[in-house]
């Protein structure tokens, strides 16, 4: 399942595909039939990439992609507008170790509605990109060992310093 580039935007219904990035945010296109375009400003909109979303679990967090894989094999999928009890019993099938106190009915409705949007798309049945390619894009992390302590430092790119020149005063000699 290849969900890279698919995001959820807070305050906007449905799912969006990231088309391009500019200085202030992303150009997004809705995955519905209308193909609405949106420019999401990173300072005001919250974006969540579907391939990075997890659900609360008792031991470990559960990846959304794993839940989608289990939903694919489920016998019957309830409607996203079903009552909380039906959703809870369905989620006990597809995510048996989810934390029932932290995963709300609204979260379950959102996951099922996302599945309904994605299930017929070709990218839903594509293989996920290889992890080695994803590691190349990540910034380098350097581990610096000090006595009795290990710290992780991220190297930030160094920007060239701008030259500042003062305007010349033609009345001054010298």
């Amino acid at each position: 399942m290849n969900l890279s580039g698919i995001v959820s935007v807070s305050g906007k219904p449905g799912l969006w595909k990231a088309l391009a990035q500019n200085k202030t945010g992303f150009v997004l296109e809705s995955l519905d039939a209308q193909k609405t375009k949106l420019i999401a400003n990173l300072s005001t909109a919250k974006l969540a990439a579907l391939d990075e979303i997890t659900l609360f679990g008792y031991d470990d967090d559960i990846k959304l992609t794993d839940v989608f894989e289990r939903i694919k094999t489920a016998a019957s999928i309830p409607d996203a507008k079903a009552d909380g009890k039906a959703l809870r019993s369905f989620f006990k099938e597809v995510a048996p170790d989810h934390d029932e106190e932290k995963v709300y009915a609204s979260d379950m409705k959102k996951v099922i509605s996302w599945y309904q949007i994605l299930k017929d798309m070709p990218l839903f049945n594509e293989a996920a990109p290889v992890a080695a390619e994803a590691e190349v894009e990540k910034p380098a992390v350097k581990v610096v060992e000090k006595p009795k302590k290990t710290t992780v430092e991220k190297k930030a790119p160094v920007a060239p310093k701008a030259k500042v020149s003062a305007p010349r005063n033609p009345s001054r000699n010298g």
Side-chain angles (χ1 to χ4, degrees):
M1 175 176 323
N2 182 10
L3 298 180
S4 61
I6 306 297
V7 296
S8 170
V9 181
S10 64
K12 301 285 182 191
L15 294 174
W16 302 80
K17 181 176 184 174
L19 298 177
Q21 182 177 4
N22 60 18
K23 289 181 182 180
T24 60
F26 289 92
V27 177
L28 305 174
E29 179 182 60
S30 66
L31 292 181
D32 59 6
Q34 295 152 349
K35 301 290 182 194
T36 308
K37 300 267 195 282
L38 168 74
I39 298 178
N41 190 337
L42 290 177
S43 64
T44 58
K46 293 182 183 177
L47 302 178
L50 258 59
D51 56 353
E52 296 178 1
I53 293 178
T54 59
L55 298 174
F56 290 109
Y58 289 119
D59 296 329
D60 290 326
D61 289 345
I62 307 163
K63 288 187 171 191
L64 182 64
T65 53
D66 295 341
V67 174
F68 282 161
E69 289 292 339
R70 291 185 195 137
I71 291 175
K72 273 187 193 180
T73 61
S76 64
I77 303 168
D79 187 40
K81 296 179 182 179
D83 68 330
K85 290 181 183 179
L87 293 173
R88 182 72 60 194
S89 65
F90 176 70
F91 258 72
K92 285 181 182 177
E93 281 180 42
V94 296
D97 54 342
H98 75 278
D99 190 342
E100 294 183 24
E101 292 179 6
K102 293 181 181 176
V103 179
Y104 301 114
S106 60
D107 300 328
M108 293 179 222
K109 288 179 182 184
K110 194 177 292 186
V111 168
I112 291 173
S113 66
W114 288 348
Y115 177 80
Q116 297 296 340
I117 293 170
L118 292 170
K119 70 179 180 180
D120 297 326
M121 302 189 102
L123 61 93
F124 193 67
N125 296 315
E126 287 179 7
V130 180
E133 293 175 6
E135 289 179 13
V136 173
E137 297 174 10
K138 292 181 181 178
V141 176
K142 182 180 178 184
V143 177
V144 178
E145 293 186 18
K146 294 182 180 178
K148 299 182 185 179
K149 198 177 195 182
T150 302
T151 60
V152 177
E153 296 179 10
K154 291 185 180 179
K155 287 188 174 183
V158 178
K161 293 184 179 182
K163 293 183 180 179
V164 179
S165 60
R168 293 187 169 231
N169 190 349
S171 62
R172 282 181 83 188
N173 292 336

